[in-house]
Amino acid sequence: LDPTLEAADAALKAARDTEAPRGYLGASGIGHPCRRALWYGFRLCAEHNIEPAGYRAIEDGERGELVMVERLRRVRGLSVYTLDEATGRQFGVSAIGGHFRGHLDGVVVGLLQAPKTPHVWEAKVVNEKKFAALVKLRAEDEKGALAKWDEVFFAQAQIYMGLEDIDRHWLTAATPGVRNWTSVRTDFDSATFEGLMKKGKAVITAPEPLERVSEKPEFYVCKFCDARRVCHEKRLPRPSCRTCVHATPELDGDARWSCALLQKDLTEAEQRKGCTDHVYT
């Protein structure tokens, strides 16, 4: 062990731990197999205890995306848009009263294999084993590879295509450091999209936790879940308006929450803080 590297890891964790959990249901997670886990996340009940190795992987993914953008922009005729020209910010999608959101890595136009068709673009950095699995699936059936490879990434792709009204998706996947990379194209599937939107609305509007994927805490999905302590160990989450019977996510407006007791809309800061009249839902 190197004390300097340990100190660097500790500083990394301290800096990233200050980032508040997002206050919306994310398109990047809607494919998670457990509806209860999604509900707990939306209600700010989950614990986010990420170790330094996890944060290093996140940073590698963030840098890997930049490397891929730089490489792709060297291809003549290929346009990679990472910012929405209308806003100057990252492409974003929003639905279900603003409670369901996502952010695209970009949109590409001019793929050599489909030069006239715009594609939603997502970049992923994964470990060597997962990368090899995608390479194998791509060789068998490129258009069907993403659904078989990762259900969460596939769901994210369908949501982005549906909400952006683009019927093609192009995912580039790389090993750490972007030493190796590959890609798969995926077609929009309206039935899958509608099912995911229905799932998202159920998670957002349910007043109580939904069904969980397994009753066994040792089940592989549950074993490493951020909501494990609340779900299987029956620990009470930290009080907030999101866990209070008086608060409701309203479907009109932009991510609006109301309090029936105080007869007012709640700011995000108020939702996270809660009040002395809190009653668990």
Side-chain angles (χ1 to χ4, degrees), residues 7-216:
D9 276 347
L12 169 63
K13 179 172 172 57
R16 302 287 304 230
D17 277 349
T18 61
E19 299 171 6
R22 61 191 176 196
Y24 55 84
L25 179 63
S28 61
I30 192 63
H32 192 286
C34 183
R35 293 177 180 233
R36 181 174 292 190
L38 290 172
W39 189 91
Y40 280 137
F42 179 63
R43 296 279 176 156
L44 304 179
C45 298
E47 299 177 350
H48 299 276
N49 184 25
I50 302 176
E51 294 301 319
Y55 282 133
R56 291 199 301 269
I58 291 171
E59 286 194 336
D60 187 59
E62 293 168 346
R63 293 192 177 103
E65 179 186 334
L66 297 177
V67 172
M68 286 187 254
V69 170
E70 183 179 355
R71 289 180 186 172
L72 292 172
R73 284 180 171 156
R74 295 190 183 115
V75 179
R76 181 172 297 179
L78 178 65
S79 297
V80 183
Y81 303 98
T82 56
L83 298 177
D84 187 340
E85 293 182 354
T87 63
R89 294 178 293 185
Q90 187 178 12
F91 288 96
V93 294
S94 177
I96 315 177
H99 296 290
F100 183 47
R101 297 176 183 267
H103 298 86
L104 292 67
D105 288 339
V107 175
V108 296
V109 180
L111 289 180
L112 302 186
Q113 59 270 49
K116 296 182 179 180
T117 307
H119 288 66
V120 172
W121 174 62
E122 283 294 306
K124 306 294 183 184
V125 176
V126 298
N127 62 42
E128 298 278 358
K129 182 179 180 181
K130 192 172 181 70
F131 178 83
L134 180 59
V135 171
K136 182 179 179 180
L137 289 169
R138 186 189 195 281
E140 296 169 354
D141 173 22
E142 181 187 355
K143 289 293 186 74
L146 185 57
K148 296 176 181 177
W149 184 58
D150 192 296
E151 62 182 326
V152 175
F153 293 165
F154 176 71
Q156 181 184 29
Q158 294 297 330
I159 289 296
Y160 287 165
M161 284 189 283
L163 293 181
E164 283 287 347
D165 195 23
I166 297 175
D167 61 5
R168 295 290 185 274
H169 183 274
W170 189 54
L171 179 138
T172 54
T175 57
V178 200
R179 293 273 182 113
N180 296 297
W181 62 341
T182 189
S183 71
V184 291
R185 288 198 300 142
T186 305
D187 293 337
F188 176 64
D189 183 88
S190 59
T192 298
F193 171 73
E194 294 298 335
L196 290 167
M197 293 298 295
K198 183 177 180 181
K199 178 182 179 181
K201 187 174 182 180
V203 170
I204 289 165
T205 59
E208 298 178 351
L210 297 171
E211 72 279 6
R212 54 188 170 201
V213 70
S214 175
E215 296 302 314
K216 299 179 179 179

